[in-house]
Amino acid sequence: MNTLGFLACLFYVSFSGNAIEKADFILNKYTTISPSGAFCWFQDPRAVYVEGQYRRTYVGWISSQGKLEVGYYDHDTGEVKTKTIKEFWDIDDHNVPSFLVLPDLRLMIFYARHNKENLYARQTLKPEDITEWGDEIIVAKMEKVTYSHPVFLSDENRFYVFWRGKTWKPTFATSEDSLHWSEPKVLFQDKGKESESIRPYLKVVSDGKKVIHFTFTDGHPRNEPFNSVYYARYESGKFYRADGTSIGAMDSLPILHSDCDKVYDAKLTGARAWVWDIALNKEGKPVIAYTQLPEENKHFYHYALWDGKQWIDHEITFAGPWFPETPKGKKETEPHYSAGICINHANIEEVYLSRRVNTTFEIERWTTHDKGKSWKHIPITQNSTVINVRPIVPWGYNKKEGHILWMRGHYTHYTQFQTAIFCWIEK
């Protein structure tokens, strides 16, 4: 275990103008889960916490050699164990797995290669054990598959998995047994925009019982100058806006963008957006973390919450420019890649984010108690010589102590990185 301790400074002035929490004696413990690994942020969840016989956090990544791997951190023993799922799965951080914790605490992972054929899945043979896996199955035989978001609804006793399909649209399939899957269907598609050049980006969260919540964009901010943020939810075969207005049903897909909530309208500000996370408060109401991108080198983190009557949207902080380390003399190919923000799904008043501090990107914890109007924050990493990006709180983790995973190292492109997967648990 790599353990670094630091005392967070008592007085610290942030260039964002927000107050920082008093943090006299914060001891941070960092553990290296993998010395080589990266993950994208459009697979949900890419890390999960499971408490049964053990207390473990599971996470997946792609190594810089192209290995598809999963691993765990044991919260009681500090043990780290990894398992290679594919020896070569392309060197591309889009190719990482998403996790589904089955009712008996076995793990199921879904994975695909970036814009290539088929969505795959495997299950562990034993609960809380990543050493032995069942046979690989093909969930969907389809070209140009990317990302995955699995859900199990206990009230329906049905499995769902969502992904970007061959037309670049949010697509899904269902299963009664997790092994045999329905024919894929397109979920969201704007009217008259069947073109493959229109590619909405989707994030998914569920209560695990009967409701699935979605947030998505018009497309990629690179291609959409007015890339906005939308919301819809599914329940009992029908789709709704946040206020309960019905907008469609399973037998009338796809759902049109224009029928969904427009959480953020980029045409009103001229700043395109990109979604980062969606979570639920204790009443089951959604909150969305996203970025506004008025310029390629000016990224702002935002927090939008449905209060039961309307969407309330507040800026959290300035994030900085893009985080990939652009080679000297080269033009950045992914200028809309922010350093990353995630919501603590067990406490939606807490987010973890990465922003530019001095000369690099650092991880911080930000908290609000007035629905995002004001924020306080403390550093998690400090005085780093390499970037710290894409923090994620493992889904299912609900302890008082803070806990995140993130990428640390050097990153030039989603196919060229020298990052490690780090784990932090507040002590």
Side-chain angles (χ1 to χ4, degrees), residues 67-206:
K67 291 184 178 182
L68 175 66
E69 297 183 314
V70 299
Y72 70 69
Y73 170 79
D74 189 293
H75 290 245
D76 294 313
T77 67
E79 178 189 35
V80 173
K81 184 179 285 292
T82 64
K83 174 70 175 181
T84 298
I85 305 298
K86 293 281 190 179
E87 282 293 337
F88 188 76
W89 197 234
D90 294 349
I91 303 172
D92 189 323
D93 71 18
H94 292 65
N95 297 359
V96 300
S98 59
F99 288 83
L100 183 63
V101 182
L102 300 176
D104 63 359
L105 300 189
R106 288 182 301 117
L107 296 175
M108 187 172 186
I109 57 172
F110 296 79
Y111 48 97
R113 292 186 298 166
H114 191 188
N115 294 337
K116 294 187 177 179
E117 67 288 339
N118 301 342
L119 175 64
Y120 300 90
R122 293 181 75 178
Q123 300 179 15
T124 59
L125 297 180
K126 301 175 183 178
E128 304 176 83
D129 183 358
I130 63 171
T131 61
E132 296 182 89
W133 294 78
D135 294 337
E136 180 179 82
I137 65 169
I138 298 178
V139 173
K141 293 183 178 180
M142 177 182 288
E143 297 177 347
K144 298 181 180 178
V145 175
T146 313
Y147 313 125
S148 57
H149 314 264
V151 167
F152 176 69
L153 294 184
S154 60
D155 284 9
E156 296 185 4
N157 196 30
R158 182 175 290 117
F159 297 85
Y160 291 78
V161 63
F162 304 87
W163 69 91
R164 188 173 74 188
K166 66 180 181 181
T167 63
W168 301 80
K169 304 299 184 290
T171 303
F172 76 102
T174 64
S175 174
E176 306 300 321
D177 61 4
S178 77
L179 299 175
H180 304 89
W181 292 83
S182 67
E183 288 297 313
K185 293 182 179 180
V186 173
L187 179 59
F188 297 112
Q189 180 174 290
D190 211 0
K191 187 176 181 180
K193 293 186 177 181
E194 294 84 1
S195 169
E196 292 186 10
S197 65
I198 308 298
R199 49 180 80 174
Y201 280 77
L202 179 73
K203 301 288 286 187
V204 180
V205 72
S206 172

Side-chain angles (χ1 to χ4, degrees), residues 25-54:
F25 299 100
I26 296 179
L27 179 64
N28 291 280
K29 289 192 173 182
Y30 305 149
T31 299
T32 302
I33 302 297
S34 173
S36 175
F39 42 59
C40 187
W41 76 97
F42 280 109
Q43 286 88 352
D44 294 318
R46 58 191 180 276
V48 292
Y49 173 80
V50 179
E51 187 167 325
Q53 181 180 354
Y54 309 101

Side-chain angles (χ1 to χ4, degrees), residues 203-206 213 215 231 276-282 284-289 303-306 311 342-348 350 395:
K203 301 288 286 187
V204 180
V205 72
S206 172
H213 302 256
T215 186
Y231 167 84
W276 271 88
D277 202 2
I278 179 170
L280 306 175
N281 68 9
K282 293 180 180 179
K285 296 182 178 64
V287 58
I288 296 168
Y303 181 90
L305 180 146
W306 177 256
W311 286 98
C342 70
I343 303 166
N344 179 353
H345 285 217
N347 175 15
I348 59 98
E350 180 178 272
W395 289 24

Side-chain angles (χ1 to χ4, degrees), residues 253-266:
L253 295 175
I255 303 298
L256 300 180
H257 289 208
S258 56
D259 288 337
C260 301
D261 282 351
K262 186 173 278 190
V263 178
Y264 167 69
D265 189 345

